[in-house]
Amino acid sequence: MASDEFDIIRRHFNQKGLAFAKSSVMLGIGDDCALLAADSSQQLAISMDLLQEGVHFLSDADPFLLGQRTLLVNLSDLAAMGAEPLCFTLGVSIPKADELWLERFSAGLAVVAQAHDCPLVGGDLTAAHPEHGTITLCVQVHGQRPAGAGMLRSGARPGDLVYVTGTLGDAAAGLAVLQGRLPVGASPARDGFSPESIAGRPAPTEFEAALISAFYQPESRVACGMALRGLASAAIDISDGLASDLGHILRGSGVSAAIDTEALPTSAAFRALVPEAARLSLVLGGGDDYELCFTVSNDDVPQLERQLSATGTAATCIGRIESGSGPIRWLSKGEEIALQVQGYNHFAPQQLTQERT
Ligand code: ADP
Ligand code: MG
């Protein structure tokens, strides 16, 4: 069915599964602005993420999974600030009005929106160039948190312990599976397959599926982030790889850190499919983990453990903040090792090298 801009908005975005009512949303989609009730005891937390076809997702990505990922990666920023999701706005630029794509994309968004009580309240829709245009998706999430929640990148202090939630490297390995780079020796014919487009190709194994799911459906750490309010001295979500993102905390706080490479948490699927020599570069520089990295004072560890178990979050202590402003000291069996890891950086030449000396 051919549809114009307003049909698309009405059918796919202003629908009850996605633009649902919420008491703090006074007015949602349909006017020039959405109107939210302002709560003076709270700080607004606002963050935006752009996802570009060919850069952040593969052209044949399953739109349902892509919808989930688009909102989850934004919620991850709220999690890193201890903010509770309020609502989100959405910018969509697409070369053609593909009804099936739009239906599945908005259904994927709706699953995550409902799980986090985070309705869609507005946005914009444009046609990209019909031949040269690619899909661009942009979400702005709006959340709130009480004043004094801390968790800024500038809050880490020497002696604080460094933690990460979940496991690292799974999403980067999942992308490698989708691109046919993993398992090693996989047929290049698997290039770019998504779970939706594997007809005629071998179905992903359980381990492959677990890694693909880590890429498209990163674990949401919103509840964990809220439980870390006033407890984590600093926090960040890991989007570009631990080395790069922990580096932001260190620079923001004017400190350094010693990280035990043997303590870095990995999943059974990751260890089964990624050859040992490639593991550390995916764990430290692969990116797309959307786990939280946070620091906490030694004295607060008992309270941290209570909060983590109350929210059912697995987190691992991987090292300690040190004074000084040097680079991260990577340790293996107590000895310092030399590593060169670069996270994802859009305007830098991609380098991912690892040298053990
Ligand atoms: P304006 O001309 O004021 O920018 P539009 O005509 O672009 O408004 O959009 C009409 C309404 O639909 C607005 O309320 C806008 O927020 C909403 N809207 C447009 N695109 C989207 C989208 N992709 N998702 C959700 N709401 C949207
Ligand atoms: Mg507009």
Side-chain angles (χ1 to χ4, degrees), residues 184-258:
V184 173
S187 136
R190 295 157 67 99
D191 215 43
F193 85 79
S194 73
E196 283 298 296
S197 61
I198 54 171
R201 300 174 189 174
T205 65
E206 197 178 319
F207 281 152
E208 289 167 11
L211 298 177
I212 293 170
S213 156
F215 177 76
Y216 278 120
Q217 297 149 303
E219 197 79 50
S220 165
R221 298 300 180 190
V222 169
C224 172
M226 288 169 67
L228 293 175
R229 288 172 177 171
L231 184 59
S233 49
I236 194 167
D237 68 317
I238 306 174
S239 52
D240 298 326
L242 176 71
S244 168
D245 289 318
L246 175 58
H248 292 309
I249 289 185
L250 303 183
R251 275 186 300 283
S253 303
V255 294
S256 181

Side-chain angles (χ1 to χ4, degrees), residues 15 50 62 86 96 125 131 160 165 176 178 223 259 263 266 311 320 328 351:
Q15 44 124 326
L50 264 173
D62 175 351
L86 275 179
K96 62 178 190 302
L125 174 68
E131 282 151 38
D160 286 355
T165 59
L178 288 166
I259 300 297
T266 54
T311 55
R320 194 178 278 275
I328 300 172
Q351 277 176 6

